[in-house]
């Protein structure tokens, strides 16, 4: 039995064949003529809105906000929609002023409404949040009435102690209390629980934060279990995860599912900061196809997780891959189960209706409506969010508005789908140039991880600086980690091995193509598989083949130098010299290579020859 709403083509409705259950509306219609509400309730039926045995519970969710309070710019601030005629269109989306408006509107008329998130709410944030160690984002999430979130890998960018401060409040240990001179109240922390079920203290073995959360209203109880990807140590600096252990996602969820069941909680949602890759980049793509579903339109780590998580878990809200999908993937019993993800940067939110049976205390999974919705910018801004952003922008203004350089057109980074990104070339060249002098490290090659490029450089002015001007705030948004640069000795064999690790090992099914500095060229043949995709003999530096027995000085950020993102070959470096931060080198390069009359041109991005 389940109350249903009109199916949205952008979402999915789970229908269990042979379940023998009708909708609440149909059951109520079957009652004797003139039956009262009390009679319907006595019979166990309801309108799904709060009376009777069956009630609709609205689950609103999003993921991977990354402190993006203002509307993201350029292609990073767009989503793709497939139109009725099969063509696609780009829609500008995102910004917490609009997200707040959309969420508040969506909640109207829903007595039981929960808002949940799947991690990476903070970390890799634009300057208006990142400059203040993401306190502004926690304030915004409190204002959005977020009920619960899992941790993501980026919640560990500044370590477990700083994450605890995000939860509990208090002034930053070195930066102090932000905005005190302007009358800002001391930071109180998150009003919502951060869940970290699979993140434990190595010594005590106990979770560093709450593993689960029970939402309750009028006797309706739903449990939430939050986990991040087991591989978090591979995508975060070693210092950020020091002293922590990250457990298996499935084992952890199943463990706490049993604990919740013992507490009488039978309705369970897993918040998982791990995701998949849909076959289409359109947010309204039909992930399950026209057949009987089972999520054939999505691949990646989340598929195996979903297929092995306990059938008692009724739905899974996921993230990490920054993709948009609404899929059904069979649980271990073969029953379809909803798995959702809502892109990133607050550009989408998901609206799911879960039907709760008061008698069984469980979610009835025979008719679940779910859809991703665009956080469009054609609605009124939420005034409280506008004020919050402006207050923090005013505080950041002396730093954020400082010009750093000039560009002739958009230079795409995060928004580029190409293996070699124009902005990746600029960043790698900046690192090479800054660290090539003998007293700076003597670098001959620079590598940049693609995931570390967090935005595009956009020609259109974001404020009053003028078109084509790159401000410190915009540069910070591109390179927000302030990673220290390392220059190390690497053998030619390990340079070759690192390039092959882009498409093999842990990167076999989700390739990570390093951005390379000028002078380094090679061929990437995507018609082949695994390490063979990097064509032997094609790797050259300034036209000369890389010599496996020779030693090269290679620059990279400290994350890559530690073997992050699945590049163990890069962790073999010796004779390390620590240089300036990646952001400092980026800004220095912009200043040295551009002016108002001679702005930086868009690179040709022709260092990697791709065969498809």
């Amino acid at each position: 039995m389940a109350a249903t709403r009109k199916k949205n083509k952008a979402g999915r409705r789970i229908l269990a064949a042979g379940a023998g259950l009708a909708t609440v509306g149909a059951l109520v219609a079957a009652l004797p003529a003139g039956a009262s509400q009390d009679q319907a309730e006595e019979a166990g039926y309801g309108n799904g809105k709060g009376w009777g045995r069956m009630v609709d519970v609205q689950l609103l969710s999003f993921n991977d906000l990354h402190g993006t309070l203002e509307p993201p710019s350029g292609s990073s601030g767009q989503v793709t929609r497939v139109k009725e005629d099969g063509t696609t269109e780009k829609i500008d989306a995102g910004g917490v002023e609009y997200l707040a408006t959309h969420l508040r509107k969506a909640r109207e008329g829903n007595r039981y409404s929960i808002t949940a998130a799947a991690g990476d709410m903070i970390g890799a944030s634009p300057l208006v949040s990142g400059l203040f160690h993401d306190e502004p984002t926690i304030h915004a999430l409190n204002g959005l009435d977020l009920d619960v979130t899992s941790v993501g890998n980026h919640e560990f960018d500044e370590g477990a102690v700083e994450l605890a401060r995000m939860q509990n409040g208090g002034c930053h240990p070195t930066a102090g209390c932000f905005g005190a001179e302007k009358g800002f109240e001391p930071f109180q922390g998150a009003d919502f629980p951060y869940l970290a079920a699979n993140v434990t203290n190595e010594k005590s073995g106990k979770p560093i934060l709450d593993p689960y959360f029970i939402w309750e209203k009028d006797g309706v109880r739903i449990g939430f279990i939050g986990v991040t990807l087991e591989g978090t140590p591979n995508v975060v600096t070693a210092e950020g995860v020091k002293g922590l252990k990250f457990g298996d996602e499935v084992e952890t969820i199943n463990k706490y599912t049993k604990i919740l069941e013992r507490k009488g909680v039978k309705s369970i949602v897993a918040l998982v900061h791990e995701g998949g890759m849909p076959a289409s980049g359109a947010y309204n793509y039909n992930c399950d196809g026209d057949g009987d579903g089972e999520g054939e339109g999505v691949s990646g780590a989340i598929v195996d997780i979903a297929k092995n998580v306990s059938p008692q878990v009724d739905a899974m809200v996921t993230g990490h891959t920054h993709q948009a999908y609404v899929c059904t993937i069979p649980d271990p019993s073969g029953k379809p189960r909803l798995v959702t993800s809502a892109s990133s940067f607050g550009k989408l939110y998901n609206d799911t209706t879960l039907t709760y049976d008061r008698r069984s205390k469980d979610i009835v999974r025979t008719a679940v409506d779910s859809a991703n919705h665009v956080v469009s910018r054609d609605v009124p801004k939420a005034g409280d969010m506008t004020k919050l952003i402006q207050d923090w922008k005013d505080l950041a203004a002396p730093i954020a508005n400082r010009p750093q350089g000039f560009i002739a057109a958009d230079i795409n980074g995060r928004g580029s789908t190409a293996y070699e990104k124009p902005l990746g070339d600029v960043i790698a060249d900046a690192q090479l140039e800054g660290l090539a002098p003998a007293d700076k490290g003597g670098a001959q090659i620079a590598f940049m991880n693609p995931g570390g490029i967090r935005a595009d450089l956009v020609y259109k002015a974001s404020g009053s600086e003028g078109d084509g001007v790159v401000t410190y705030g915009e540069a910070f948004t591109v390179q927000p980690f302030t990673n220290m640069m390392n220059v190390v000795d690497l053998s030619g064999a390990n340079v070759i091995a690192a390039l092959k690790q882009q498409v093999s090992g842990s990167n076999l099914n989700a390739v990570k193509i390093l951005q390379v500095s000028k002078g380094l060229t090679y061929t990437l043949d995507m018609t082949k598989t695994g390490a063979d995709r990097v064509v032997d003999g094609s790797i050259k530096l300034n036209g000369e083949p890389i010599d496996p027995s020779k030693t090269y000085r290679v620059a990279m950020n400290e994350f890559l130098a530690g073997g992050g993102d699945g590049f163990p070959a890069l962790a073999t470096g010796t004779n390390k010299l620590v240089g300036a931060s990646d952001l400092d080198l980026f800004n220095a390069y912009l200043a040295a290579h551009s002016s108002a009359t001679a702005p930086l041109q868009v690179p040709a991005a022709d260092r990697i020859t791709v065969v498809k």
Side-chain angles (χ1 to χ4, degrees), residues 61-95:
S61 60
F62 55 97
N63 51 276
D64 296 277
L65 181 65
H66 291 289
T68 309
L69 303 183
E70 297 182 273
S73 59
S75 54
S76 295
Q78 295 180 323
V79 293
T80 301
R81 182 176 79 91
V82 176
K83 297 190 290 186
E84 293 289 342
D85 62 4
T87 61
T88 61
E89 65 175 342
K90 297 284 188 180
I91 303 172
D92 291 337

Side-chain angles (χ1 to χ4, degrees), residues 62 65-72 93-104 121 128-129 136-144 345-347 375-377 379-390:
F62 55 97
L65 181 65
H66 291 289
T68 309
L69 303 183
E70 297 182 273
V96 296
E97 296 161 296
Y98 304 109
L99 178 60
T101 298
H102 281 281
L103 291 178
R104 291 164 185 172
M121 294 296 97
V128 73
S129 184
T137 295
I138 298 299
H139 284 297
L141 293 171
N142 289 342
L144 290 175
F345 305 151
K347 294 183 290 188
V375 178
S376 61
R377 303 176 191 171
V379 298
K381 296 179 181 180
D384 56 333
M385 293 296 154
T386 300
K387 184 179 186 306
L388 182 149
I389 292 170
Q390 193 59 53

Side-chain angles (χ1 to χ4, degrees), residues 59-66 115-122 141 146 148-155 192-195 224-229 269-275 302 316-323 325 339-343 350:
L59 176 61
L60 301 174
S61 60
F62 55 97
N63 51 276
D64 296 277
L65 181 65
H66 291 289
T115 303
D120 276 8
M121 294 296 97
I122 60 174
L141 293 171
L146 182 64
V148 60
T149 184
S150 67
V151 295
N153 54 286
H154 281 283
E155 263 79 20
F192 52 89
Y194 260 113
L195 304 183
F224 290 84
I225 301 168
V227 299
T228 187
L229 67 154
V269 175
L271 307 175
V272 186
H273 191 70
E274 178 60 289
I302 199 60
M316 300 177 69
V317 177
T318 72
H320 186 55
T321 58
H322 291 203
Q323 301 299 308
Y325 49 84
V339 181
T340 70
S341 178
S343 187
N350 182 271

